[in-house]
């Protein structure tokens, strides 16, 4: 283009030459169907419009350009397969829109009396939204695309920010006239009315009517606000809002209001500016109130008429709630310091409260004796609508009610409290009444929360937030009567919902409610130390209360108060540096068991509070927990161990949900990290060690100290390897000497199992660290797989090689193999790793399994079978090589068909892997259906030696495998021969004592019986 301009710039008839060339080029666009040529032409013309503006400002062929380009609007294109030059629909749409949205020649066209590109494009978009009767109706996707194009043409940002309208220069006489505004208003109303009633129906990923209706409302409110801001011509707002809304407002009777119309008008009122708010309230609120005042909810002989009256009242209440919410929204959208004066609802308070309360009194018991489902449903919806309308009104209305209306509000709040506390009514509620009870709990919670957020002297008068609820008499009732009544009935789930909603209203409310609940819990535990129920009730409130309640709990000293109540205190004269005076002798086995039980009870008491630490945890509170924990390490007595049992769960939960530890003191972190491995490998309570492991993994995975050496590898070599080596030697000696100290032998194996589990935890931390620590993860996985497969491994460390051998006795070998398989499974299944990591770990594990795999797969060890099963269950099957997937399949098929001595934990994961193989419709699985069926049936029948939990899990997995087989087979021939045996076993399973097994057996038998 620049070359063309340079070439013709030397001629005197430059403008004419460029015009002739432009018309010739534009003609090339007509009828072009090759997408590769079309995209080049569209890009060319988009650049041509910009380049020729200085030469053809007054005579550019806008009409011709639009006529040629508009033939391709909207873009409907699906790229053919194997296209040499890839062109997408989005590419074509962007290039086309660059042409249709260019308005650089519009001023000249307006002066010459010709059509502008803005007007032409606006017309084609409106035609797309409302096609002619003889044309095909537009789809939801086409309507959404056209609305987005209209939004872009009008200059509205893609984000549709609430506090920003389009540039006021878009709505000017030069760009768009009132007639076009009226057309836009009519089109938006029509599209909204059609889509709003259809809801959010639609296939996943497709455009829903709800999305289209929301776009209509956003566009309408933005245009209305811009028209209101247009100071040069006030007629724009009158045309778009006043005249445009007449169709919605004229002739509204008590039964002709529709929810889509109410939503449309409330959106204009809330987001279309103060003038639009006043217009909508003046024209809509009075008819709705009149509709309520004329409603009489008496049961007539005709159920349809009764339900229709209730439905009309519900719609009117919905409208009142929507318009009151619009007032609140409009107030919040005002610039800082700008207030709505006078209050838009001033003078209507008594009418609104009186009308709603009139319906409330009628609706509570009007349908109590109704039998018609239609009437019951209509009145259930009506009661919910009353509560929602009153909730919104109390949040918005100003504080100038008469004493009669104040008494009505107080009575209404008392009714809500009574409903929330009526245990008999709540226990007998039906499914249709649950939304009403939930609405009551929500509204009462908002009211209670509002009274804690301030009073009338401190309320935000500019936006009208909770003004009426902070009125003296109402606030006093909430604080002195309703709130104490709720506290006395804390065990009710609906009371918990009320208080949780109150906490969500603000930090002040959350602080007061949390502090009150914690004081009640402390007092209760003082009297009854084992009172888990009240802790669970408090945790339910604070967890539902969200981030405000969680922050309030963390800022309190509840944990430390609870610790002082539950645990004995040292004498005040004992300093921290003389803690050794409290040192106790090693505990006996009986004392260890007793302490384990007490620690479990303590953990069960505090466990409901842990979700409060899944929100944001402040650095200061994390530091407090860390310092308090370091003060009791190492634990010298039973009190110290129980203090760790209280602190470590909260510390570990907080660490898991913290992004980094930059705000924690390095010396405190290092001190705790140096002790945690010793604690994890000690004989402390298992719950304490579990949370200690979680803390250590968090530290290892997130702590970055600039040291190139992997801390995970150093920890494993210094803390785990030597201990595991020593334990293996002790086990070997015990087996060789046939020591009869059974308890010592069991304790040694238990400690060895814990070291192996700890190795899996360290590997998980190394994986989360990534980088150079990935080599550590590979090394530890190889170590675990070697132990799982053979019971033997060599730990190659920086200071030497340590042989580890637990294969000297069958009991020790079995125990170590099970622990190793479980540790590997924990790495594969519990870590938040990417799929690529799991593929890597699976490959590393498989390379270690290959040497240990028996030439005759029937002799494979527990570890080979279990590790292979975990690889199949936790990995992407398609990401494996053919050789690897074939080898794994052979191991699993022979494991399920030939091994009868598998431990319960191994058999569970084996059956899970078989189910996955069947569901993936692998060729090997389909070719071995008789073998699989026989093995699964034997697995089902040979679970007597397992515990109740393992036996139930194995039987359910076996049934799931049997149920999967008929649905994945391409032919029925492989199962015909085994069908009688399957049906026979399932007949016996149908008389199982466990109802879950019986139901599963019936479903499986039905799927096999029809083969």
């Amino acid at each position: 283009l620049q070359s063309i301009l340079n070439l013709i710039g030397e001629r005197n008839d430059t403008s004419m030459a460029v015009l002739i060339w432009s018309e010739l080029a534009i003609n090339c666009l007509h009828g072009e169907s090759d997408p590769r040529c079309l995209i080049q032409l569209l890009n060319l013309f988009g650049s041509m419009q910009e380049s020729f503006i200085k030469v053809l400002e007054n005579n550019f062929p806008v009409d011709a350009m639009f006529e040629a380009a508009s033939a391709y609007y909207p873009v409907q294109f699906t790229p053919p397969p194997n296209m040499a030059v890839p062109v997408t629909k989005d590419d074509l749409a962007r290039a086309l829109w660059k042409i249709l949205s260019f308005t650089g020649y519009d001023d000249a066209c307006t002066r010459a009396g010709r059509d502008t590109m803005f007007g032409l494009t606006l017309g084609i978009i409106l035609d797309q939204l409302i096609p002619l009767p003889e044309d095909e109706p537009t789809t939801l996707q086409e309507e959404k695309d056209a609305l987005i194009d209209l939004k872009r043409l009008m200059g509205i940002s893609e984000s549709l920010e609430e506090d920003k309208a389009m540039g006021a220069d878009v709505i000017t006489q030069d760009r768009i006239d009132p007639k076009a505004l009226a057309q836009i208003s009519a089109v938006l109303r029509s599209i909204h009315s059609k889509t709003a009633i259809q809801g959010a129906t639609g296939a996943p990923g497709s455009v829903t009517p709800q999305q289209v209706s929301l776009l209509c409302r956003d566009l309408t409110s933005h245009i209305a606000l811009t028209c209101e801001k247009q100071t040069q011509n006030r007629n724009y707002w009158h045309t778009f809002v006043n005249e445009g809304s007449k169709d919605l407002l004229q002739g509204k009777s008590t039964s002709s209001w529709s929810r889509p119309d109410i939503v449309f008008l409330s959106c204009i009122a809330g987001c279309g500016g103060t003038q639009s708010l006043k217009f909508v309230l003046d024209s809509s609120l009075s008819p709705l109130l009149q509709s309520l005042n004329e409603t009489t909810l008496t049961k007539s002989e005709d159920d349809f008429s009764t339900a229709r009256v209730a439905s009309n009242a519900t719609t009117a209440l919905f409208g009142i709630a929507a318009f009151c919410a619009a007032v609140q929204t409009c107030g919040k959208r005002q610039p800082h310091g700008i207030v709505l004066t006078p209050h838009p609802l001033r003078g209507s308070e008594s009418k609104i409260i009186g009308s709603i309360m009139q319906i409330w009194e009628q609706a509570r018991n009007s349908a109590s004796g109704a039998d018609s489902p239609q009437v019951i449903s209509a009145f259930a919806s009506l009661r919910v609508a009353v509560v929602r309308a009153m909730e919104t009104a109390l949040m918005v209305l100003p504080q100038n009610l008469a004493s009669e209306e104040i008494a009505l509000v107080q009575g209404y709040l008392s009714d809500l409290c009574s409903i929330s506390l009526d245990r008999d009514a709540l226990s007998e509620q039906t499914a249709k009444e649950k939304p009403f009870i939930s609405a009551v709990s929500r509204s009462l919670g908002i009211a209670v929360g509002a009274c804690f957020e301030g009073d009338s002297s401190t309320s935000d008068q500019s936006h009208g937030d909770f003004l009426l609820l902070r009125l003296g008499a109402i606030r006093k009732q909430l604080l002195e009567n309703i709130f104490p009544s709720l506290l006395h009935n804390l065990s009710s789930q609906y009371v918990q919902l009320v208080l949780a909603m109150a906490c969500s209203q603000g930090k002040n409310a959350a602080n007061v409610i949390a502090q009150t609940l914690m004081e009640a819990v402390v007092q209760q535990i003082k009297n009854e130390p084992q009172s888990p129920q009240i802790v669970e009730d408090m945790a339910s409130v604070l967890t539902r209360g969200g981030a405000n309640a969680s922050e309030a709990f963390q800022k309190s000293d509840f944990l430390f108060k609870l610790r002082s109540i539950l645990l004995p205190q040292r004498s005040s004269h004992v300093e921290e540096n003389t803690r050794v005076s409290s040192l106790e002798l090693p505990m006996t086995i009986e004392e260890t068991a007793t302490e384990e039980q007490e620690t479990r009870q303590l953990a069960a008491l505090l466990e409901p509070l842990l979700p409060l630490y899944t929100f944001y945890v402040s650095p200061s509170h994390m530091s407090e927990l860390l310092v308090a924990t370091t003060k009791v390490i190492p634990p010298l007595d039973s009190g110290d161990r129980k203090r760790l049992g209280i602190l470590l769960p909260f510390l570990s939960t907080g660490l898991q949900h913290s992004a980094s530890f930059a705000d924690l003191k390095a010396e405190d972190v290092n001190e705790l990290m140096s002790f945690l491995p010793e604690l994890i490998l000690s004989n402390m309570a298992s719950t304490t060690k579990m949370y200690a492991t979680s803390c250590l993994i968090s530290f290892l995975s997130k702590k970055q100290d600039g040291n190139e050496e992997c801390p995970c590898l150093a920890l494993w070599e210094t803390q785990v390897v030597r201990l595991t080596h020593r334990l293996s030697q002790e086990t070997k000696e015990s087996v060789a000497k046939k020591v009869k100290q059974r308890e010592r032998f069991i304790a040694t194996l238990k400690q060895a199992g814990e070291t192996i589990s700890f190795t899996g935890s360290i590997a998980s931390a190394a994986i989360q660290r990534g980088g150079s620590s990935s080599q550590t993860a590979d090394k530890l996985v190889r170590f675990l797989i070697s132990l799982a497969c053979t019971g033997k491994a060599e730990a190659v460390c920086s200071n030497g090689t340590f042989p580890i051998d637990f294969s000297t006795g069958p009991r020790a070998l079995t125990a170590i193999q099970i622990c190793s398989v479980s540790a590997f499974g924990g790495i594969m299944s519990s870590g938040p790793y990417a799929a690529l990591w799991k593929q890597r770990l699976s490959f590393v594990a498989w390379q270690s399994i290959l040497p240990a795999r028996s030439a005759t797969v029937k002799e494979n060890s527990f570890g080979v079978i279990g590790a292979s099963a975990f690889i199949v269950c936790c990995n992407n099957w398609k990401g494996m090589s053919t050789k690897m997937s074939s080898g794994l399949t052979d191991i699993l098929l022979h494991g399920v068909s030939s091994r009868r001595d598998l431990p319960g934990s191994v058999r569970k994961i084996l059956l899970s892997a078989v189910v996955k193989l069947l569901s993936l419709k692998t060729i090997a699985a389909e070719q071995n259906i008789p073998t699989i069926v026989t093995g699964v049936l034997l697995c089902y029948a040979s679970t007597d030696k397992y515990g109740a939990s393992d036996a139930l899990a194995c039987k359910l997995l076996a049934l799931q495998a049997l149920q999967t087989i008929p649905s994945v087979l391409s032919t029925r021939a492989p199962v015909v021969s085994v069908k009688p045996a399957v049906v026979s076993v399932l007949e016996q399973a149908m008389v199982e004592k466990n109802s879950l097994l019986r139901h599963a057996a019936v479903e499986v038998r039905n799927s096999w019986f029809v083969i």
Side-chain angles (χ1 to χ4, degrees):
L1 291 176
Q2 189 61 46
S3 300
I4 293 173
L5 290 176
N6 294 338
L7 176 65
I8 64 179
E10 301 173 357
R11 302 178 55 180
N12 295 328
D13 56 345
T14 299
S15 177
M16 183 56 67
V18 174
L19 177 61
I20 294 173
W21 187 89
S22 300
E23 291 176 341
L24 175 64
I26 291 172
N27 287 332
C28 297
L29 189 60
H30 290 287
E32 181 57 63
S33 59
D34 190 321
R36 296 167 295 181
C37 299
L38 180 60
I39 189 66
Q40 295 186 64
L41 286 172
L42 293 176
N43 288 330
L44 170 67
F45 297 148
S47 301
M48 185 177 74
Q49 286 176 306
E50 298 176 355
S51 301
F52 288 176
I53 192 168
K54 294 182 179 179
V55 181
L56 299 180
E57 181 179 5
N58 296 319
N59 57 352
F60 185 84
V62 173
D63 291 341
M65 175 65 78
F66 174 79
E67 182 181 357
S70 62
Y72 298 96
Y73 182 87
V75 174
Q76 296 179 346
F77 171 67
T78 301
N82 303 322
M83 177 180 288
V85 180
V87 179
T88 66
K89 178 180 178 181
D90 291 339
D91 295 336
L92 294 171
R94 280 192 296 269
L96 177 62
W97 183 252
K98 185 178 180 180
I99 297 174
L100 296 179
S101 62
F102 186 79
T103 58
Y105 301 100
D106 282 10
D107 292 341
C109 290
T110 301
R111 291 193 297 270
R114 295 185 287 120
D115 290 331
T116 64
M117 184 64 79
F118 181 92
L120 293 170
T121 304
L122 177 62
I124 195 174
I125 292 175
L126 296 181
D127 289 342
Q128 175 69 14
L129 289 170
I130 305 293
L132 296 175
E134 58 269 19
D135 295 336
E136 294 183 2
T138 55
T139 64
L140 287 173
Q141 181 66 57
E142 292 171 342
E143 289 176 347
K144 180 183 177 181
D145 293 341
L147 288 171
I148 292 175
D149 289 341
L150 178 60
K151 178 177 67 174
R152 295 162 62 191
L153 185 68
M154 301 296 287
I156 304 174
S157 64
E158 289 290 333
S159 60
L160 281 175
E161 298 178 12
E162 292 185 357
D163 56 345
K164 292 184 180 180
M166 69 186 80
D169 57 339
V170 175
I171 308 297
T172 61
Q173 187 66 39
D174 296 337
R175 299 291 300 275
I176 184 170
D177 56 15
K179 182 179 179 181
L181 273 179
Q183 291 177 343
I184 295 174
S185 177
V187 168
L188 292 177
R189 290 197 313 274
S190 176
I191 297 294
H192 183 271
S193 298
K194 181 182 69 172
T195 56
I197 59 176
Q198 299 175 22
T201 57
S206 63
V207 178
T208 64
Q210 187 181 51
Q211 295 173 336
V212 177
S213 61
L214 179 61
L215 264 175
C216 289
R217 296 197 295 271
D218 285 336
L219 277 166
T220 302
S221 60
H222 277 73
I223 297 174
L225 182 58
T226 304
C227 290
E228 182 176 313
K229 292 182 177 181
Q230 178 54 251
T231 58
Q232 296 181 358
N233 194 333
R234 299 288 185 181
N235 190 42
Y236 288 114
W237 178 87
H238 181 79
T239 300
F240 187 80
V241 178
N242 194 326
E243 295 294 330
S245 302
K246 281 186 176 180
D247 294 342
L248 301 180
L249 297 172
Q250 287 180 347
K252 290 295 185 185
S253 63
T254 58
S255 61
S256 60
W257 285 93
S258 68
R259 293 198 178 194
D261 293 346
I262 290 173
V263 172
F264 192 81
L265 290 171
S266 65
C267 185
I268 295 177
C271 306
T274 55
Q275 188 176 357
S276 300
L277 174 66
K278 187 176 185 304
F279 166 74
V280 172
L281 292 179
D282 291 344
S283 56
S284 304
L285 197 56
S286 295
L288 290 174
L289 294 174
Q290 181 182 357
S291 172
L292 289 182
N293 292 331
E294 295 174 354
T295 299
T296 303
L297 300 173
T298 56
K299 190 176 185 305
S300 61
E301 296 180 357
D302 184 7
D303 288 338
F304 176 78
S305 300
T306 303
R308 184 179 60 184
V309 172
S311 179
N312 292 339
T314 300
T315 303
L317 289 165
F318 175 81
I320 292 174
F323 295 136
C324 288
V327 174
Q328 188 180 35
T329 302
C330 185
K332 290 182 177 180
R333 288 171 60 90
Q334 300 305 310
H336 183 70
I338 304 299
V339 299
L340 296 177
T341 304
H343 194 288
L345 294 175
R346 186 172 295 277
S348 302
E349 308 94 326
S350 299
K351 296 178 182 178
I352 293 174
I353 296 296
S355 299
I356 297 175
M357 288 304 300
Q358 175 186 342
I359 301 298
W360 172 251
E361 295 298 334
Q362 298 183 63
R364 288 193 61 185
N365 300 310
S366 295
S368 57
D371 297 327
S372 170
Q374 186 179 18
V375 175
I376 295 175
S377 177
F379 273 83
S381 300
L382 176 62
R383 285 192 286 271
V384 173
V386 173
V387 175
R388 295 279 175 83
M390 195 66 171
E391 172 190 315
T392 312
L394 294 178
M395 292 165 60
V396 176
L397 293 178
Q399 297 181 356
N400 57 341
L401 287 181
S403 57
E404 293 81 1
E405 283 77 27
I406 293 177
L408 287 176
V409 174
Q410 289 178 314
Y412 169 76
L413 293 175
S414 297
D415 290 343
L416 296 187
C417 184
S418 299
I419 293 171
S420 299
L421 300 179
D422 190 349
R423 293 177 179 270
D424 295 334
L426 294 176
S427 61
E428 298 175 359
Q429 63 175 308
T430 63
K432 292 183 178 180
E433 292 174 333
K434 287 184 178 180
F436 169 66
I437 303 298
S438 298
V440 167
S441 302
R442 167 189 161 86
S443 295
L444 186 58
I446 290 175
V448 172
C451 73
F452 288 120
E453 281 300 301
D455 52 28
S456 59
S457 62
T458 62
S459 60
D460 189 353
Q461 298 286 347
S462 62
H463 294 155
D465 291 341
F466 305 112
L467 296 181
L468 186 55
L469 288 172
R470 294 179 185 169
L471 191 64
I474 297 176
R475 187 168 183 268
K476 182 178 180 181
Q477 179 196 18
L478 289 167
L479 288 176
E480 298 181 2
N481 298 330
I482 293 179
F483 183 58
S485 299
L486 295 172
L487 292 179
H488 289 311
N489 294 271
L490 189 59
S491 59
S492 169
Q493 60 172 326
Y494 288 102
V495 170
Q496 294 170 13
L497 182 59
V498 171
L499 296 177
M501 182 58 64
C503 289
S504 66
Q505 300 309 304
K507 292 186 176 181
N508 290 338
N511 288 333
V512 173
I513 294 173
Q515 192 65 35
T516 305
L517 291 176
M518 287 184 285
E519 291 175 357
V521 170
V522 168
Q523 188 62 39
Q524 178 71 18
I525 292 179
K526 283 183 179 179
N527 300 330
E528 300 178 25
Q530 298 301 328
S531 304
Q533 185 59 49
I534 190 171
V535 178
E536 291 179 8
D537 296 339
M538 180 185 72
S540 176
V541 172
L542 298 183
T543 304
R544 294 180 181 181
N548 290 334
S550 177
E551 183 179 355
F553 178 82
Q554 294 169 21
K555 287 183 177 179
S556 70
D557 56 352
F558 176 77
L559 283 180
F560 304 102
K561 283 185 178 179
L562 193 64
R563 185 182 64 175
S564 64
I565 295 172
L566 295 175
L567 303 177
Q569 295 295 301
R570 299 189 184 91
S571 301
S572 58
H573 66 276
V574 177
E575 300 294 338
E576 287 298 325
N577 56 8
T578 62
R579 290 177 59 238
V580 71
S581 62
S582 304
L583 185 62
E584 294 180 346
L585 294 174
M587 293 187 296
T588 63
I589 295 177
E590 293 76 10
E591 291 173 338
T592 301
T594 301
E595 185 173 296
E596 172 86 17
Q597 181 64 24
E598 293 174 351
T599 306
R600 288 182 181 275
Q601 294 175 354
L602 195 61
L605 181 67
L606 299 176
E607 188 176 3
L609 297 172
L610 294 181
L612 293 171
Y613 283 69
T614 58
F615 300 97
Y616 170 76
V617 183
S618 65
S620 60
H621 185 63
M622 286 298 301
S623 297
E624 290 179 0
L625 285 175
L626 182 59
V627 171
T629 304
T630 56
K631 287 182 178 180
V632 290
I633 59 172
L636 304 181
D637 57 15
S638 177
D640 283 349
R641 289 188 288 271
K642 291 179 181 178
R643 290 181 182 88
L644 282 176
I646 292 177
L647 295 173
L648 281 176
F650 295 94
L651 180 61
S652 67
T653 306
L655 290 174
Q656 289 178 32
H657 296 85
S658 297
S660 68
F661 308 135
D663 297 316
L664 302 179
K665 289 185 178 181
E667 54 269 25
D668 292 335
V669 173
N670 293 331
E671 182 180 358
L672 185 59
M673 283 186 65
S674 64
F675 169 71
L676 286 176
E678 180 183 346
L679 187 151
I680 294 168
L681 298 174
S682 68
N683 62 345
M684 288 190 64
S686 57
T687 53
T688 303
K689 293 195 290 186
M690 177 184 68
Y691 288 114
T693 304
S694 176
C695 286
L696 186 60
I697 291 177
S698 298
F699 282 132
L700 289 173
S701 60
K702 299 178 183 179
K703 186 175 182 292
Q704 302 293 337
D705 51 11
N707 190 351
E708 295 183 359
E709 182 182 0
C710 175
C712 302
L713 180 60
L715 174 64
W716 182 67
E717 292 183 353
T718 57
Q719 299 287 339
V720 179
V721 172
R722 290 181 181 275
L723 178 59
T724 309
H725 173 68
R726 178 174 61 81
L727 292 173
S728 69
Q729 293 296 324
E730 291 181 4
T731 304
K732 186 175 181 180
E733 293 173 2
S734 299
V735 173
K737 296 178 180 180
K738 299 182 179 180
V739 177
K740 297 183 179 180
Q741 295 180 354
R742 182 173 178 272
E743 293 179 352
R744 181 180 176 183
F745 178 70
I746 294 176
T748 301
L749 284 181
K750 179 182 178 183
Q751 191 174 9
E754 290 175 351
T755 61
I756 293 171
S757 298
F758 190 33
T759 299
S761 301
I762 297 174
S764 297
I767 294 170
Q768 294 179 42
R769 282 182 65 87
S772 60
S773 297
S774 59
Q775 297 180 1
T776 301
D778 295 345
K779 183 175 184 177
L780 298 187
V781 167
R782 294 189 188 97
F783 176 80
L784 290 174
I785 294 298
S786 180
L787 282 179
C789 294
T790 63
K792 297 184 291 186
E794 283 192 352
V796 181
C797 304
S798 57
N799 57 348
T801 300
F802 297 86
I804 297 171
D805 186 0
F806 288 96
S807 63
T808 53
R811 184 171 183 178
L813 177 61
T814 300
I816 295 304
Q817 285 181 324
I818 292 175
C819 289
S820 302
V821 169
S822 299
F824 173 68
I827 297 172
M828 294 292 293
S829 58
S830 62
Y833 320 132
L836 186 60
W837 252 114
K838 291 189 176 182
Q839 290 182 13
R840 170 178 176 155
L841 295 177
S842 298
F843 179 77
V844 171
W846 176 245
Q847 293 301 313
S848 299
I849 290 175
L850 282 176
R853 186 178 58 165
S854 173
T856 58
V857 290
K858 295 182 180 181
E859 299 177 2
N860 282 322
S861 66
F862 302 153
V864 170
I865 297 173
S868 301
F870 271 117
I871 292 175
V872 172
C873 287
C874 302
N875 198 11
N876 181 8
W877 183 260
K878 295 182 180 179
M880 301 181 193
S881 65
T882 304
K883 185 176 180 180
M884 180 176 173
S885 59
S886 176
L888 290 171
T889 302
D890 288 342
I891 292 174
L892 297 182
L893 291 180
H894 287 87
V896 76
S897 62
S898 305
R899 294 300 295 265
R900 299 290 168 265
D901 54 347
L902 293 178
S905 58
V906 176
R907 177 156 286 174
K908 283 189 294 184
I909 188 62
L910 173 61
L911 289 171
S912 300
V914 170
V915 170
K916 182 173 181 178
L917 287 178
L918 291 170
S919 62
L920 291 173
K921 301 181 180 180
T922 60
I923 298 176
E926 188 167 349
Q927 292 176 345
N928 292 274
I929 288 298
T931 302
I932 294 176
V933 171
T934 303
V936 168
L937 291 177
L938 291 174
C939 288
Y940 185 93
S942 59
T943 57
D944 297 337
K945 62 181 180 180
Y946 300 149
S949 177
D950 285 346
L952 177 61
C954 288
K955 287 185 176 181
L956 288 174
L957 286 168
L959 291 175
Q960 185 178 357
L962 291 174
Q963 189 174 21
T964 307
I965 290 173
S967 61
V968 300
L969 288 179
S970 57
T971 175
R972 305 288 181 175
V975 297
V976 172
S977 60
V978 294
K979 174 185 173 182
V982 173
V983 174
S984 175
V985 172
L986 293 176
E987 286 178 353
Q988 300 174 16
M990 292 172 62
V991 296
E992 289 274 3
K993 295 181 180 180
N994 188 287
S995 59
L996 191 61
L997 280 176
R998 291 199 304 272
H999 291 306
V1002 170
E1003 293 182 7
V1004 179
R1005 185 174 182 274
N1006 289 340
S1007 62
W1008 276 79
F1009 195 75
V1010 296
I1011 295 176

